[in-house]
C-alpha cells in the first residue's frame, strides 16, 4: 500500500489503491465487525462435515474444525490472508503481564516467533506505563481461514492486542468471554476520545513497532492521527503503523516472515516516510468516513483448499 508522497510512481498508483481499498473494506466489513463479539462459557465441537473431501467445501470449514496443531516441522506457509501454519505453539493463557481473551475461540496459537514477541512485549509493557497485555485472536491451531472474524491471521504471524490494560488480577472465564475492550475512537471518527487516550497507549504501540520482528501494526486512522501528533521527535517507528478499518478497540501486530519458513510470502514494504501526511489525510475524506451504501452482497464461502498453497493440505491432514 502506497501513499501519494511515496516515490517510484506511487502517485499514479494511488487512485487505483484507493478504489481497491474501498472494495476491500466492503469485503472485510462483516468480518472486522465481529472483533468484539462475545465468546461462550460452553464451547461445543462443530458437527462433522457431510463431505469434507468435496472440493467445494470452504477451507474455513476444514481448518475451523482442527483443535490441535499439526505435528510437523514449524513453518508458516503462504500469505497472511491465504495460508496456513505447521507446528504451531500456544501462548499460555496467563502470564505475569498478559492474559488471553476469548478462550472459547481457541485462537491463541502462532509461530514461535509470535509467541516470543508477545511475551517480550508483555514484559516491556509495564516499563511503558501499560500494566499488561490483553491478547485477542492470534491464529487457529493450524492457521488457515477462520469461520468468523478475520481475513488474515492465517499463518501464525498476526495478533490482536486490546487497547485495554490488563487489570491487576486474573480475569474470570466469564469476563474473558464477555467483556469488551475500550472504545478509543471519538464518536465523530475524526480523532481519539480525549477522555480515553493516554500516553501509555502511545507508548505500548511504539514499543511494539520498534521490535525488529514487526512488519506492520494496523490501527484505526484516528489512532494513527493521535500517534502522529503525540510522537514528538522520535518518529522512525511510525511508518510501520498503518490505518485500517475495524481497529477501534485493538491494535493488530503482524510479524515478518520467519527465517525457517521459505514458503512464507512477505508483506510488501511500507514507504520510508512516517505516513502522517497525505496517506493519513485520505482516511478522513468524506468517501471514507461516509461511504455510500452498497447493495447487500451474497455471502461468499471464502477460499477453497485449491486456493491455498498446496502444502496446506499436508498441514490439514497431518496427525
Amino acid at each position: 500500500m502506497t501513499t501519494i508522497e511515496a516515490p517510484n510512481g506511487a502517485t499514479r498508483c494511488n487512485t487505483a489503491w484507493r478504489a481497491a481499498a474501498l472494495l476491500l473494506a466492503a469485503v472485510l466489513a462483516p468480518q472486522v465487525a465481529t472483533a468484539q463479539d462475545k465468546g461462550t462459557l460452553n464451547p461445543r465441537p462443530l458437527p462433522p462435515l457431510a463431505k469434507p473431501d468435496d472440493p467445494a467445501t470452504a477451507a474455513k470449514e476444514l481448518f475451523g474444525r482442527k483443535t490441535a496443531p499439526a505435528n510437523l516441522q514449524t513453518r508458516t506457509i503462504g500469505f497472511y490472508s491465504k495460508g496456513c501454519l505447521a507446528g504451531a505453539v500456544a501462548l499460555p493463557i496467563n502470564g505475569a503481564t498478559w492474559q488471553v481473551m476469548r478462550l472459547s475461540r481457541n485462537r491463541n496459537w502462532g509461530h514461535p516467533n509470535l509467541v516470543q514477541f508477545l511475551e517480550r512485549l508483555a514484559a516491556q509493557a509495564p516499563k511503558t506505563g501499560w500494566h499488561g497485555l490483553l491478547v485477542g485472536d492470534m491464529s487457529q491451531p493450524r492457521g488457515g481461514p477462520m469461520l468468523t472474524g478475520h481475513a488474515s491471521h492465517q499463518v501464525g504471524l498476526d495478533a490482536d492486542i486490546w487497547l485495554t490494560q490488563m487489570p491487576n488480577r486474573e480475569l474470570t472465564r466469564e469476563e474473558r468471554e464477555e467483556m469488551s475492550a475500550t472504545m478509543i475512537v471519538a464518536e465523530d471518527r475524526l480523532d481519539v476520545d480525549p477522555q480515553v487516550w493516554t500516553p501509555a497507549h502511545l507508548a505500548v504501540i511504539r514499543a511494539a513497532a520498534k521490535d525488529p520482528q514487526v512488519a506492520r501494526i494496523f490501527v484505526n486512522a484516528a489512532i494513527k492521527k493521535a500517534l502522529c501528533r503525540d510522537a514528538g521527535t522520535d518518529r522512525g517507528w511510525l511508518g510501520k503503523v498503518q490505518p485500517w478499518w475495524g481497529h477501534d478497540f485493538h491494535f493488530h501486530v503482524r510479524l515478518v516472515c520467519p527465517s525457517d519458513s521459505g514458503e512464507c510470502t512477505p508483506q510488501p514494504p511500507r514507504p520510508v516516510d512516517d505516513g502522517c501526511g497525505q496517506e493519513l489525510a485520505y482516511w478522513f475524506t468524506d468517501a471514507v468516513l461516509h461511504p455510500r451504501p452498497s447493495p447487500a452482497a451474497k455471502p461468499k464461502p471464502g477460499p477453497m483448499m485449491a486456493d491455498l498453497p498446496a502444502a496446506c493440505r499436508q498441514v490439514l491432514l497431518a496427525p
Side-chain angles (χ1 to χ4, degrees):
M1 298 175 187
T2 56
T3 70
I4 292 175
E5 300 171 320
N8 300 326
T11 301
R12 296 190 299 272
C13 297
N14 198 58
T15 301
W17 177 85
R18 289 180 178 181
L22 288 171
L23 177 61
L24 185 58
V27 172
L28 295 183
Q31 297 171 315
V32 297
T34 65
Q36 287 300 309
D37 278 1
K38 295 180 180 180
T40 176
L41 294 173
N42 298 296
R44 297 179 180 179
L46 294 169
L49 292 170
K51 298 179 179 180
D53 297 325
D54 188 338
T57 299
K60 65 183 180 182
E61 298 288 349
L62 301 169
F63 280 96
R65 283 169 167 77
K66 294 297 183 181
T67 59
N71 186 19
L72 297 169
Q73 179 182 350
T74 299
R75 67 194 196 279
T76 65
I77 300 164
F79 189 63
Y80 303 88
S81 58
K82 188 177 286 187
C84 58
L85 172 64
V89 296
L91 176 70
I93 64 171
N94 290 317
T97 49
W98 80 82
Q99 295 182 46
V100 175
M101 307 301 288
R102 303 297 191 262
L103 302 179
S104 60
R105 294 181 181 176
N106 193 27
R107 293 178 179 175
N108 59 312
W109 299 86
H111 186 280
N113 286 10
L114 181 62
V115 172
Q116 292 164 13
F117 162 77
L118 290 168
E119 292 176 343
R120 191 162 61 243
L121 180 63
Q124 189 178 356
K127 302 173 187 176
T128 70
W130 195 259
H131 181 68
L133 307 182
L134 295 180
V135 181
D137 287 353
M138 296 164 57
S139 290
Q140 299 177 130
R142 302 189 187 203
M146 295 181 179
L147 287 166
T148 61
H150 304 280
S152 59
H153 290 251
Q154 293 191 28
V155 295
L157 298 175
D158 294 279
D160 289 343
I161 300 173
W162 286 24
L163 285 164
T164 303
Q165 298 197 46
M166 186 188 84
N168 58 2
R169 61 178 177 83
E170 184 177 331
L171 293 169
T172 67
R173 176 62 187 274
E174 183 175 6
E175 287 173 319
R176 294 185 195 224
E177 299 293 351
E178 298 187 357
M179 71 177 281
S180 175
T182 305
M183 177 62 160
I184 301 297
V185 180
E187 188 173 350
D188 63 8
R189 314 294 293 169
L190 296 176
D191 211 324
V192 293
D193 184 341
Q195 302 301 314
V196 177
W197 182 255
T198 68
H201 286 92
L202 181 149
V204 71
I205 296 173
R206 178 173 55 203
K210 285 190 169 186
D211 192 293
Q213 289 291 310
V214 171
R216 287 282 199 285
I217 293 179
F218 299 100
V219 297
N220 180 278
I223 296 173
K224 171 77 176 192
K225 183 178 183 180
L227 296 173
C228 291
R229 181 176 58 234
D230 299 343
T233 58
D234 179 14
R235 307 185 69 82
W237 56 276
L238 281 167
K240 289 186 181 181
V241 183
Q242 182 173 344
W244 203 247
W245 290 272
H247 295 82
D248 302 0
F249 298 84
H250 68 277
F251 65 101
H252 172 171
V253 177
R254 173 170 292 174
L255 301 193
V256 299
C257 281
S259 59
D260 62 12
S261 301
E263 298 160 284
C264 178
T265 303
Q267 183 82 43
R270 286 280 297 155
V272 296
D273 66 357
D274 61 12
C276 295
Q278 292 188 42
E279 177 188 9
L280 179 59
Y282 160 71
W283 290 87
F284 297 97
T285 60
D286 190 64
V288 175
L289 290 175
H290 306 104
R292 294 180 179 179
S294 56
K298 184 179 179 181
K300 296 182 179 181
M304 308 300 171
M305 287 302 299
D307 298 318
L308 301 181
C312 289
R313 184 167 294 279
Q314 178 191 16
V315 171
L316 184 68
L317 298 177

